[in-house]
Amino acid sequence: MPEITGVLPHSRAAKAGVLEGDWLLEINGHPIRDVLDYRFRLADSKVALKLHRGPDILELTIRKGTYDDIGLEFGTPLMDKKHRCENGCLFCFIDQNPPGMRETIYFKDDDSRLSFLHGNYVTLTNLHDEDIDRIIEMHISPVNVSVHATNPDLRVKMMKNKRAGQVLSYLGRLADAGITLRGQIVLCRGLNDGEELERSMRDLSAYWPAMDSASVVPVGLTAHRHGLYPLEPFTPEECAEVIRQIERFNEAFGETHTTEEGEPARIFFASDEFYIRSGTPLPDNDYYGDYNQIDNGVGMLTSLIHEFGLALSMAEDEELASVQRTVTVATGEAAYGTISHLAGELTERCPGLTVRIHAVKNEFFGGQVTVTGLLTGGDILKQLEGAELGECLYLSRTTLRAEGDLFLDGMTPGELSEKLRVPVEFVENDGAALFGALTGIEY
């Protein structure tokens, strides 16, 4: 049962007599274990609270609008502890972190509640029948699933969890109940690629349209894999073949499956990394539909290009001519080409603007890690120190943790700014936001 750590003044809960320090036992006769129970049961217009206060059990009734809040606060967003991952995945990125980082960096979560609240991907191995029943009853959707392989024996091997194969049956239960599923396959060379990838795509496509999309992303390999399962990166040629394999499957699938608009259905998407590593041109904006897999790095660069282009097309020549500044953008190696291209398009129409682009090599994690979101303050400082940065340095907000106060290595934005002697500002991963940051023109 969660402890109530705060009651907002003048809220419905305060007026009903709820106090800080009370323990919430039930809402409308249903036990409350965490935030999912709380939000689901709170949706009624009349809520009967059962509270534990010292030695007493109290019952209070509150009337409200159907989806209105009642003003209670709890110690954690989940109203409970995060569920720790029970797997030992051969490719786990957290196991590849160097020593000496913040303790929270090494925590592995595998929490279905975070899938609903924040879009995290879960393996299902922490779930049991009663958990699936609750997801179905509450119609928690979408559920984001790290599948990796549909071959049960291979999934057990890759995840080092004896339940990894059997919990795949939950996908069918969720799909039959109308729960939207979104899949993820972390592709490991020589393990779940080739014929195994073909099998996984075939098996997962059977859940369409409930399984509305699935991403295929290359395993992230750092320089700190000492003593771990031997994995090798995909070569550029192999990356190109992965893209071709996915497209062959999609084309065959689209011949017999169509969207509500009558278009050929597409379910599997290679991440941007496969395109960059292989030198394959990125697909256009229409290819990605609703961008359901963008948080997996699928279509992120295409979306950035499209949004930036729209913002630039809306700008008046007079506005662009008024911009007079020199700024710097630091990015990971993977996005360097795209950011440089966008900056070039902008400065062609904006002659008073100089944009310097720096590709920061990820020495902290090793040369195989090229995404911007895993850059550290230390690498940025080391590689930009002494450079002419202009009046501002722009970084992607993805380089900071969710709270926005620390890089992965524990450096703060303020420390980086002080040492580089330039203001540092962070930009959302959005083309219009990047355009606005560079020009000061917003729409």
Side-chain angles (χ1 to χ4, degrees), residues 36-67:
L36 296 188
D37 288 331
Y38 179 69
R39 288 191 180 182
F40 186 70
R41 303 302 175 188
L42 202 65
D44 293 336
S45 58
K46 177 182 177 182
V47 291
L49 308 182
K50 180 179 283 190
L51 305 172
H52 188 283
R53 181 183 298 167
D56 300 323
I57 301 295
L58 307 176
E59 294 190 8
L60 305 173
T61 299
I62 297 174
R63 296 183 182 276
K64 62 181 189 62
T66 303
Y67 295 106

Side-chain angles (χ1 to χ4, degrees), residues 30 60 108 222 258 350 391 400:
H30 298 281
L60 305 173
K108 304 178 187 180
T222 80
T258 57
C350 198
E391 63 186 70
L400 301 177

Side-chain angles (χ1 to χ4, degrees), residues 17-93:
V18 182
L19 300 178
E20 179 181 337
D22 289 347
W23 294 81
L24 180 58
L25 302 177
E26 296 178 359
I27 294 179
N28 291 342
H30 298 281
I32 303 300
R33 295 168 290 176
D34 57 28
V35 66
L36 296 188
D37 288 331
Y38 179 69
R39 288 191 180 182
F40 186 70
R41 303 302 175 188
L42 202 65
D44 293 336
S45 58
K46 177 182 177 182
V47 291
L49 308 182
K50 180 179 283 190
L51 305 172
H52 188 283
R53 181 183 298 167
D56 300 323
I57 301 295
L58 307 176
E59 294 190 8
L60 305 173
T61 299
I62 297 174
R63 296 183 182 276
K64 62 181 189 62
T66 303
Y67 295 106
D68 289 350
D69 190 38
I70 60 174
L72 297 183
E73 296 179 336
F74 301 90
T76 66
L78 291 176
M79 299 165 56
D80 187 19
K81 294 180 180 179
K82 289 182 182 179
H83 294 166
R84 182 178 291 274
C85 182
E86 297 178 351
N87 308 314
C89 295
L90 303 178
F91 50 85
C92 180
F93 194 87

Side-chain angles (χ1 to χ4, degrees), residues 1 16 79 82 88 116 119 140 201 234 244 281 303 331 405 416 432-433:
M1 58 181 176
M79 299 165 56
K82 289 182 182 179
F116 174 61
I140 295 172
M201 291 193 293
F234 289 94
R244 288 192 292 267
S303 176
T331 182
D405 59 344
L416 180 64

Side-chain angles (χ1 to χ4, degrees), residues 173-385:
R173 286 188 58 193
L174 294 170
D176 290 343
I179 303 298
T180 297
L181 300 169
R182 289 182 182 149
Q184 176 198 61
I185 297 173
V186 173
L187 206 63
C188 300
R189 189 169 180 254
L191 278 176
N192 60 339
D193 56 348
E195 292 183 5
E196 289 294 347
L197 174 59
E198 198 73 23
R199 172 176 176 164
S200 294
M201 291 193 293
R202 184 171 61 250
D203 292 344
L204 293 178
S205 66
Y207 299 119
W208 187 86
M211 176 74 72
D212 70 2
S213 61
S215 60
V216 182
V217 304
V219 60
L221 301 176
T222 80
H224 308 283
R225 289 193 55 82
H226 313 298
L228 299 178
Y229 187 90
L231 291 172
E232 295 293 331
F234 289 94
T235 66
E237 295 76 14
E238 289 167 339
C239 287
E241 176 53 33
V242 169
I243 295 171
R244 288 192 292 267
Q245 181 180 4
I246 291 171
E247 286 312 299
R248 286 194 299 267
F249 188 95
N250 281 333
E251 288 174 11
F253 185 78
E255 290 177 359
T256 55
H257 299 77
T258 57
T259 65
E260 292 180 357
E261 294 77 22
E263 298 295 324
R266 180 183 292 113
I267 184 171
F268 296 99
F269 297 85
S271 73
D272 292 359
E273 284 186 80
F274 280 113
Y275 291 91
I276 294 166
R277 291 187 189 184
S278 66
T280 303
L282 293 166
D284 60 21
N285 183 61
D286 292 339
Y287 177 89
Y288 293 104
D290 293 331
Y291 283 93
N292 291 330
Q293 293 284 342
I294 194 167
D295 289 337
N296 267 327
V298 172
M300 192 171 286
L301 292 178
T302 294
S303 176
L304 187 75
I305 294 167
H306 178 69
E307 293 161 348
F308 192 95
L310 286 177
L312 181 58
S313 68
M314 294 170 61
E316 300 289 342
D317 289 336
E318 294 79 6
E319 290 180 298
L320 295 173
S322 68
V323 178
Q324 301 289 324
R325 63 194 309 235
T326 297
V327 297
T328 296
V329 177
T331 182
E333 293 176 292
Y336 173 76
T338 298
I339 301 297
S340 296
H341 176 74
L342 295 179
E345 287 189 337
L346 176 59
T347 53
E348 279 187 10
R349 290 191 57 195
C350 198
L353 174 65
T354 299
V355 183
R356 296 171 178 148
I357 313 297
H358 284 264
V360 179
K361 185 176 180 61
N362 197 321
E363 297 179 356
F364 186 86
F365 284 116
Q368 293 296 329
V369 177
T370 61
V371 296
T372 302
L374 292 175
L375 291 178
T376 62
D379 279 343
I380 297 168
L381 173 62
K382 180 179 178 182
Q383 295 174 47
L384 269 63
E385 198 166 22

